């Protein structure tokens, strides 16, 4: 029997909690910060992808995470170009209402979670679209893991 009445809810909660645990391995034991980092970095990443690629990535996210991924999405405005400094600055701004957290480490934590849990081919497609400096940040996340 499902704890929530629907197995799909149980599965997405379980998977989301696994992802949050993986983020907390890098950022510390604060589930709120892990959720904020996950949602922030996913938004910033999504906004850098062409609509079709953003949809392919979104399709591989757990249902609950997919909801936050698409929150406030404006496909007609995508993709937004930026370099590493601009990407990090946007993440910094969005994380300002949490306890202090290194924004580059938050980005690495989320990139690592995506690399560990999303189809490798999809991860490689997403990385190939990003500017080299952001790809370097993603590669550094995978090396530490």
């Amino acid at each position: 029997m499902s704890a929530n009445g629907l197995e799909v809810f149980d599965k997405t909660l379980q998977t989301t909690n696994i992802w949050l645990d993986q983020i907390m391995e890098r950022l510390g034991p604060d589930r709120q910060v892990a959720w904020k980092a996950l949602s922030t970095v996913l938004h910033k990443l999504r906004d850098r992808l062409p609509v079709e690629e953003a949809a392919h990535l979104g399709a591989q996210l757990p249902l609950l995470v997919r909801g936050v991924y698409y929150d406030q999405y404006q496909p007609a405005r995508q993709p937004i170009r930026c370099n590493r400094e601009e990407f990090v600055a946007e993440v910094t701004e969005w994380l300002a209402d949490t306890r202090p957290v290194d924004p580059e480490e938050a980005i690495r934590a989320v990139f690592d979670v995506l690399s560990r849990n999303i189809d490798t081919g999809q991860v490689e497609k997403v990385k190939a679209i990003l500017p080299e400096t952001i790809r370097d940040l993603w590669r550094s996340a995978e090396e530490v893991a």
Side-chain angles (χ1 to χ4, degrees):
M1 175 87 188
S2 168
N4 292 301
L6 289 172
E7 286 188 32
V8 68
F9 290 161
D10 292 339
K11 174 99 172 107
T12 193
L13 285 172
Q14 179 183 19
T15 304
T16 300
N17 278 315
I18 290 168
W19 285 31
L20 294 175
D21 288 344
Q22 291 172 354
I23 292 169
M24 290 187 305
E25 289 172 10
R26 294 178 81 128
L27 300 183
D30 188 329
R31 198 165 290 285
Q32 298 277 348
V33 169
W35 177 255
K36 182 70 176 199
L38 179 62
S39 61
T40 295
V41 174
L42 283 176
H43 278 182
K44 298 305 162 191
L45 177 60
R46 171 204 71 198
D47 291 348
R48 271 55 195 189
L49 300 175
V51 173
E52 186 173 327
E53 201 57 47
H56 287 297
L57 177 59
Q60 294 205 16
L61 301 174
L63 186 61
L64 183 59
V65 176
R66 191 178 317 150
V68 77
Y69 176 77
Y70 283 113
D71 184 44
Q72 300 177 24
Y73 186 41
Q74 297 177 346
R77 298 179 68 191
Q78 305 334 91
I80 300 169
R81 301 285 176 217
C82 76
N83 60 33
R84 178 181 178 145
E85 293 75 27
E86 293 165 329
F87 190 82
V88 171
E90 287 185 27
V91 170
T92 301
E93 181 182 337
W94 278 42
L95 292 177
D97 62 350
T98 66
R99 72 161 167 77
V101 60
D102 178 345
E104 287 199 15
E105 190 57 25
I107 293 166
R108 280 189 211 90
V110 174
F111 284 173
D112 176 50
V113 164
L114 293 175
S115 291
R116 290 164 72 174
N117 297 287
I118 298 292
D119 176 73
T120 303
Q122 183 61 48
V123 168
E124 292 306 315
K125 286 178 187 176
V126 169
K127 287 193 308 192
I129 292 167
L130 299 173
E132 185 66 32
T133 56
I134 298 174
R135 276 194 304 249
D136 288 344
L137 190 57
W138 199 314
R139 281 190 285 270
S140 73
E142 293 170 331
E143 291 168 3
V144 172

